[in-house]
Amino acid sequence: MKHRKIVSLIVMLAVFGSVAGTCWALASVQQPEDQPTPSQMPKLTIHEQIRDAAIAYIVANHPEAAQFTGDLVWTGGKQETGLLGAEKYIYQRGGWNVTISYPVIPNPLYSISAEYAANYPPGQAGIMYRMQWEGTCLNGEVAETTYLMLL
């Protein structure tokens, strides 16, 4: 009789211990999803990096263009070129139109065109700024070929 009570006690402790351990493990695994972890953050594609590097180059070398670059959230992406071995990406945002084109070869020379035209809602007047910039990107280095700012 004593032997059965001891066995029952051991079985109950084992069941209690495994249930408690499982609950603790499940509770510690669940974390709030408020903040994305670095692995959840989207990585920029090479085309987005080139676009952002071109805008940064423009701002660094033409400070008058900085007023047009606040809070840029881009739309757009790959466009069909109709050419074999060539790719083109077009991005737009807030008056900006950035085009990146290149031949599909290892380590290509990327051609970049960035244009800005002030957009005003109908009935609202303002200065009609227009900027045209062209450049290249090779091995992550942006170089300017032309720049024109019109008022």
Side-chain angles (χ1 to χ4, degrees), residues 46-88:
I46 185 70
H47 312 99
E48 293 167 330
Q49 292 173 15
I50 291 169
R51 176 202 63 211
D52 292 351
I55 296 296
Y57 180 95
I58 293 168
V59 169
N61 292 281
H62 305 286
E64 67 277 10
Q67 62 185 320
F68 309 122
T69 61
D71 192 28
L72 294 176
V73 179
W74 298 94
T75 61
K78 187 175 181 179
Q79 305 293 311
E80 289 300 320
T81 64
L83 301 173
L84 184 62
E87 287 194 354
K88 181 191 290 189

Coordinates of all heavy atoms in Angstrom, one line a residue, residues 46-88:
I46 N 19.5 46.2 -54.9 CA 20.6 47.0 -55.4 C 20.1 48.2 -56.1 O 20.6 49.3 -56.1 CB 21.5 46.1 -56.4 CG1 22.7 46.9 -56.8 CG2 20.7 45.6 -57.6 CD1 23.7 47.2 -55.8
H47 N 18.9 48.1 -56.8 CA 18.3 49.2 -57.5 C 17.9 50.3 -56.6 O 18.0 51.5 -56.8 CB 17.2 48.8 -58.4 CG 17.5 47.5 -59.2 ND1 17.2 46.3 -58.8 CD2 18.3 47.4 -60.3 CE1 17.7 45.4 -59.7 NE2 18.4 46.1 -60.6
E48 N 17.3 49.9 -55.5 CA 16.9 50.9 -54.4 C 18.1 51.6 -53.8 O 18.0 52.8 -53.5 CB 16.0 50.2 -53.4 CG 14.7 49.7 -53.9 CD 13.9 48.8 -53.0 OE1 14.6 48.0 -52.3 OE2 12.7 48.8 -53.1
Q49 N 19.1 50.8 -53.6 CA 20.4 51.4 -53.0 C 21.0 52.4 -54.0 O 21.4 53.5 -53.6 CB 21.4 50.3 -52.7 CG 21.0 49.4 -51.6 CD 21.9 48.2 -51.5 OE1 23.0 48.2 -52.0 NE2 21.5 47.2 -50.7
I50 N 21.0 52.1 -55.3 CA 21.5 53.0 -56.3 C 20.6 54.3 -56.3 O 21.1 55.4 -56.4 CB 21.6 52.3 -57.6 CG1 22.7 51.3 -57.6 CG2 21.8 53.4 -58.8 CD1 22.7 50.4 -58.8
R51 N 19.3 54.1 -56.3 CA 18.4 55.2 -56.3 C 18.7 56.2 -55.1 O 18.8 57.4 -55.3 CB 16.9 54.7 -56.3 CG 15.9 55.8 -56.2 CD 14.6 55.3 -55.6 NE 14.8 54.8 -54.2 CZ 14.1 53.8 -53.7 NH1 13.2 53.2 -54.3 NH2 14.3 53.5 -52.4
D52 N 18.7 55.6 -53.9 CA 19.0 56.3 -52.7 C 20.4 57.0 -52.7 O 20.5 58.1 -52.3 CB 18.8 55.5 -51.5 CG 17.4 55.0 -51.3 OD1 16.5 55.5 -52.0 OD2 17.1 54.2 -50.4
A53 N 21.4 56.3 -53.3 CA 22.7 56.9 -53.4 C 22.7 58.1 -54.3 O 23.4 59.1 -54.1 CB 23.7 55.8 -53.8
A54 N 22.0 58.0 -55.4 CA 21.9 59.1 -56.4 C 21.2 60.3 -55.7 O 21.7 61.4 -55.9 CB 21.1 58.6 -57.6
I55 N 20.1 60.1 -55.0 CA 19.5 61.2 -54.3 C 20.4 61.8 -53.3 O 20.5 63.0 -53.2 CB 18.1 60.7 -53.7 CG1 17.1 60.3 -54.8 CG2 17.5 61.8 -52.8 CD1 16.7 61.4 -55.7
A56 N 21.1 61.0 -52.5 CA 22.1 61.5 -51.5 C 23.2 62.3 -52.2 O 23.6 63.3 -51.7 CB 22.7 60.3 -50.7
Y57 N 23.7 61.8 -53.4 CA 24.7 62.5 -54.1 C 24.2 63.9 -54.5 O 24.9 64.9 -54.4 CB 25.1 61.7 -55.4 CG 26.2 62.4 -56.2 CD1 27.5 62.1 -56.0 CD2 25.8 63.4 -57.1 CE1 28.5 62.8 -56.7 CE2 26.8 64.0 -57.9 CZ 28.1 63.7 -57.7 OH 29.1 64.4 -58.4
I58 N 22.9 63.9 -55.1 CA 22.3 65.2 -55.5 C 22.3 66.2 -54.4 O 22.7 67.3 -54.5 CB 20.9 65.0 -56.1 CG1 21.1 64.2 -57.4 CG2 20.2 66.3 -56.4 CD1 19.8 63.6 -58.0
V59 N 21.8 65.7 -53.2 CA 21.6 66.6 -52.0 C 23.0 67.1 -51.6 O 23.2 68.3 -51.2 CB 20.9 65.9 -50.9 CG1 21.0 66.7 -49.6 CG2 19.4 65.7 -51.3
A60 N 24.0 66.2 -51.6 CA 25.3 66.6 -51.1 C 26.0 67.6 -52.0 O 26.8 68.4 -51.5 CB 26.2 65.3 -50.9
N61 N 25.8 67.5 -53.3 CA 26.5 68.3 -54.3 C 25.6 69.5 -54.8 O 26.2 70.4 -55.4 CB 27.0 67.5 -55.4 CG 28.1 66.5 -55.0 OD1 29.2 66.9 -54.9 ND2 27.7 65.3 -54.7
H62 N 24.4 69.5 -54.5 CA 23.4 70.5 -55.0 C 22.5 70.8 -53.8 O 21.3 70.3 -53.9 CB 22.7 70.1 -56.2 CG 23.6 69.7 -57.3 ND1 24.4 70.6 -58.1 CD2 24.0 68.5 -57.8 CE1 25.1 70.0 -58.9 NE2 24.9 68.7 -58.8
P63 N 22.9 71.5 -52.8 CA 22.1 71.7 -51.6 C 20.7 72.3 -51.9 O 19.8 72.1 -51.1 CB 22.9 72.7 -50.7 CG 24.3 72.6 -51.3 CD 24.2 72.2 -52.7
E64 N 20.5 73.1 -53.0 CA 19.2 73.6 -53.3 C 18.2 72.5 -53.6 O 17.0 72.8 -53.5 CB 19.4 74.6 -54.5 CG 19.7 73.9 -55.8 CD 21.2 73.7 -56.1 OE1 22.0 73.8 -55.1 OE2 21.6 73.3 -57.2
A65 N 18.6 71.3 -53.9 CA 17.7 70.2 -54.2 C 17.2 69.6 -52.9 O 16.3 68.8 -52.9 CB 18.4 69.2 -55.1
A66 N 17.9 69.8 -51.8 CA 17.6 69.1 -50.5 C 16.1 69.4 -50.1 O 15.5 68.5 -49.5 CB 18.5 69.6 -49.4
Q67 N 15.6 70.6 -50.4 CA 14.2 70.9 -50.0 C 13.2 70.0 -50.6 O 12.0 70.0 -50.2 CB 13.9 72.4 -50.3 CG 14.0 72.7 -51.8 CD 13.8 74.1 -52.1 OE1 13.0 74.8 -51.5 NE2 14.6 74.6 -53.1
F68 N 13.6 69.3 -51.7 CA 12.6 68.4 -52.4 C 12.7 66.9 -52.0 O 12.0 66.1 -52.5 CB 12.8 68.5 -53.9 CG 12.8 69.9 -54.4 CD1 13.9 70.4 -55.1 CD2 11.8 70.8 -54.1 CE1 13.9 71.7 -55.5 CE2 11.8 72.1 -54.6 CZ 12.9 72.6 -55.3
T69 N 13.6 66.6 -51.0 CA 13.9 65.2 -50.7 C 13.3 64.8 -49.4 O 13.6 63.6 -49.0 CB 15.4 64.9 -50.8 OG1 16.0 65.8 -49.8 CG2 15.9 65.2 -52.2
G70 N 12.6 65.5 -48.7 CA 12.1 65.1 -47.4 C 11.1 64.0 -47.5 O 10.2 64.0 -48.3
D71 N 11.2 63.0 -46.6 CA 10.2 61.9 -46.4 C 9.8 61.3 -47.8 O 8.7 61.3 -48.1 CB 9.0 62.5 -45.7 CG 8.1 61.3 -45.2 OD1 8.6 60.2 -45.0 OD2 6.8 61.6 -45.2
L72 N 10.8 60.7 -48.4 CA 10.6 60.1 -49.7 C 10.2 58.6 -49.5 O 11.0 57.8 -49.0 CB 11.8 60.2 -50.6 CG 12.1 61.6 -51.1 CD1 13.4 61.6 -51.9 CD2 11.0 62.2 -51.9
V73 N 9.0 58.3 -49.9 CA 8.5 56.9 -49.9 C 8.2 56.6 -51.3 O 7.3 57.2 -51.9 CB 7.3 56.7 -49.0 CG1 6.8 55.2 -49.1 CG2 7.6 57.1 -47.6
W74 N 9.0 55.7 -51.9 CA 9.0 55.4 -53.3 C 8.0 54.4 -53.8 O 7.7 53.5 -53.0 CB 10.4 55.0 -53.8 CG 11.4 56.0 -53.6 CD1 12.2 56.1 -52.5 CD2 11.8 57.1 -54.4 NE1 13.1 57.2 -52.6 CE2 12.8 57.8 -53.8 CE3 11.3 57.6 -55.6 CZ2 13.4 59.0 -54.3 CZ3 11.9 58.7 -56.2 CH2 12.9 59.4 -55.5
T75 N 7.5 54.6 -55.0 CA 6.7 53.5 -55.7 C 7.4 53.2 -57.0 O 8.3 54.0 -57.4 CB 5.3 54.0 -56.0 OG1 5.3 55.1 -56.8 CG2 4.5 54.3 -54.7
G76 N 7.0 52.1 -57.6 CA 7.6 51.8 -58.9 C 8.4 50.5 -58.8 O 8.4 49.8 -57.8
G77 N 9.2 50.3 -59.8 CA 10.1 49.1 -59.8 C 10.4 48.8 -61.3 O 10.5 49.7 -62.1
K78 N 10.6 47.5 -61.5 CA 11.1 47.0 -62.8 C 10.1 47.3 -63.9 O 8.9 47.1 -63.8 CB 11.4 45.5 -62.8 CG 12.1 45.0 -64.0 CD 12.4 43.5 -63.8 CE 13.1 43.0 -65.1 NZ 13.5 41.6 -64.9
Q79 N 10.6 47.8 -65.1 CA 9.8 48.1 -66.3 C 10.4 47.2 -67.4 O 11.5 46.9 -67.5 CB 10.0 49.6 -66.6 CG 9.6 50.5 -65.5 CD 8.2 50.5 -65.1 OE1 7.3 50.5 -66.0 NE2 7.9 50.3 -63.9
E80 N 9.5 46.9 -68.3 CA 9.9 46.1 -69.5 C 10.6 47.1 -70.5 O 10.1 48.2 -70.7 CB 8.7 45.5 -70.2 CG 8.1 44.4 -69.4 CD 9.0 43.2 -69.1 OE1 9.8 42.9 -70.0 OE2 9.0 42.7 -68.0
T81 N 11.7 46.6 -71.0 CA 12.5 47.4 -71.9 C 12.3 46.9 -73.4 O 12.5 47.7 -74.3 CB 14.0 47.3 -71.7 OG1 14.4 45.9 -71.9 CG2 14.3 47.8 -70.3
G82 N 11.9 45.7 -73.5 CA 11.7 45.2 -74.9 C 13.0 44.8 -75.5 O 13.1 44.4 -76.7
L83 N 14.1 44.9 -74.8 CA 15.5 44.6 -75.2 C 16.0 43.4 -74.5 O 15.9 43.4 -73.3 CB 16.4 45.8 -75.0 CG 16.0 47.1 -75.7 CD1 16.9 48.3 -75.3 CD2 16.0 47.0 -77.3
L84 N 16.6 42.5 -75.2 CA 17.3 41.4 -74.6 C 18.6 41.8 -73.9 O 19.4 42.5 -74.5 CB 17.5 40.3 -75.6 CG 18.1 39.0 -75.1 CD1 17.2 38.3 -74.1 CD2 18.4 38.1 -76.3
G85 N 18.7 41.5 -72.7 CA 20.0 41.8 -72.0 C 20.0 43.2 -71.4 O 21.1 43.8 -71.1
A86 N 18.9 43.9 -71.2 CA 18.8 45.2 -70.7 C 17.7 45.3 -69.6 O 16.6 44.6 -69.8 CB 18.6 46.3 -71.7
E87 N 17.9 46.0 -68.6 CA 16.9 46.2 -67.5 C 16.7 47.6 -67.2 O 17.7 48.4 -67.3 CB 17.2 45.4 -66.3 CG 17.0 43.9 -66.5 CD 17.0 43.1 -65.2 OE1 17.3 43.7 -64.1 OE2 16.8 41.9 -65.3
K88 N 15.5 48.0 -66.8 CA 15.2 49.4 -66.4 C 14.3 49.3 -65.2 O 13.3 48.6 -65.1 CB 14.5 50.1 -67.5 CG 14.2 51.5 -67.2 CD 13.2 52.2 -68.2 CE 13.9 52.4 -69.5 NZ 13.1 53.2 -70.5

